[in-house]
Amino acid sequence: MSSARPLRVQFLFDFGSPNAYLSDRVIPDIEKRTGVTFDYVPVLLGGIFKLTGNSSPADSLKGIRNKREYMEVETARFLRRHGITGFHSNPFFPVNTLQLMRGVVAAQELGLFAPYFRAVYHHMWEEPKKMDDPAVMRAALTASGIDFDLIATKSQELAVKNRLMELTQDAVARGAFGSPTFFVGDEMFFGKDQLRDVEEEILAQLSQVTPRVASAASA
């Protein structure tokens, strides 16, 4: 029997980050090529900004000539490279995601992560809405078949609030300063454009584990 631990790959996301949404669209292909399943870890981007002194591009790019325009070109290139369609900028950006992120922690505990996750991303970046408006949020998620009241009630539990806070603080303690952030084991990568490096690191770490497993099996 081998004592080698399975490789853990984490995707730290906040629904308010368009680049986290775009990363999610690429991750399934990386999972297929590597055979590794990503762990989706919710974090509160506003909390990370506060703890690190960082800020949203909506604030940090104000008054900077050409940078925002270049980022839009870069995003268009990413969409073409990965064949991503259906993405639309949210006209209400930045959106306060506190309730949405508490909701996804609640959904995880209720076994409803996948449908909730997909529904929120749909209404944030595919058919964009002002998802920090409680009435808009309720109508959108209900229309997507989500039991809004169940998740909303669960998300108000102290344990859920504390869990989101703990995940956010842990992310910062490990070096995160924004979203999307990825960890391949202990190696950190930031930004959607690092996904190629993430995949390379996954394969590199897997290649280090495989010989040890084979050696243990033959012992």
Side-chain angles (χ1 to χ4, degrees):
M1 296 290 291
S2 170
S3 60
R5 291 180 299 173
L7 177 60
R8 189 179 188 193
V9 181
Q10 296 171 292
F11 167 44
L12 279 56
F13 71 94
D14 182 302
F15 291 123
S17 167
N19 289 324
Y21 166 83
L22 294 174
S23 297
D24 169 69
R25 296 290 302 274
V26 176
I27 285 172
D29 287 336
I30 297 176
E31 291 179 324
K32 290 177 183 177
R33 289 191 293 266
T34 64
V36 171
T37 300
F38 283 55
D39 289 339
Y40 278 54
V41 181
V43 294
L44 186 62
L45 191 52
I48 289 179
F49 287 164
K50 184 175 181 179
L51 290 169
T52 61
N54 199 1
S55 61
S56 166
D59 296 320
S60 64
L61 295 181
K62 283 182 180 178
I64 299 179
R65 183 177 179 181
N66 296 333
K67 189 172 182 179
R68 182 185 296 277
E69 290 79 4
Y70 174 75
M71 290 178 66
E72 292 174 355
V73 171
E74 191 178 59
T75 296
R77 289 172 179 162
F78 188 91
L79 294 172
R80 288 196 301 271
R81 182 184 306 124
H82 296 286
I84 297 172
T85 60
F87 169 75
H88 300 283
S89 296
N90 192 312
F92 304 103
F93 182 83
V95 174
N96 185 322
T97 59
L98 176 60
Q99 296 307 319
L100 292 171
M101 298 311 298
R102 285 176 175 171
V104 78
V105 174
Q108 284 181 323
E109 295 191 6
L110 292 166
L112 300 172
F113 173 79
Y116 179 88
F117 179 88
R118 292 296 161 207
V120 174
Y121 261 155
H122 175 76
H123 294 292
M124 278 290 297
W125 302 109
E126 295 169 2
E127 293 184 7
K129 300 174 180 65
K130 186 172 172 52
M131 291 294 283
D132 52 5
D133 181 316
V136 172
M137 187 193 309
R138 172 185 286 274
L141 295 181
T142 299
S144 292
I146 302 300
D147 189 335
F148 179 85
D149 290 330
L150 176 64
I151 289 179
T153 299
K154 182 73 174 177
S155 68
Q156 293 307 306
E157 293 182 3
L158 183 59
V160 169
K161 295 178 180 180
N162 286 343
R163 179 60 177 160
L164 179 59
M165 186 183 306
E166 289 165 1
L167 291 170
T168 301
Q169 292 171 339
D170 180 64
V172 172
R174 296 177 69 192
F177 52 86
S179 174
T181 295
F182 308 91
F183 284 97
V184 182
D186 293 325
E187 291 293 316
M188 190 185 93
F189 301 84
F190 173 74
K192 69 183 187 303
D193 296 309
Q194 300 302 312
L195 279 168
R196 284 177 286 188
D197 292 336
V198 168
E199 184 168 356
E200 288 181 1
E201 182 65 21
I202 290 172
L203 294 174
Q205 291 197 31
L206 286 176
S207 70
Q208 294 171 3
V209 171
T210 301
R212 293 201 298 268
V213 173
S215 177
S218 61

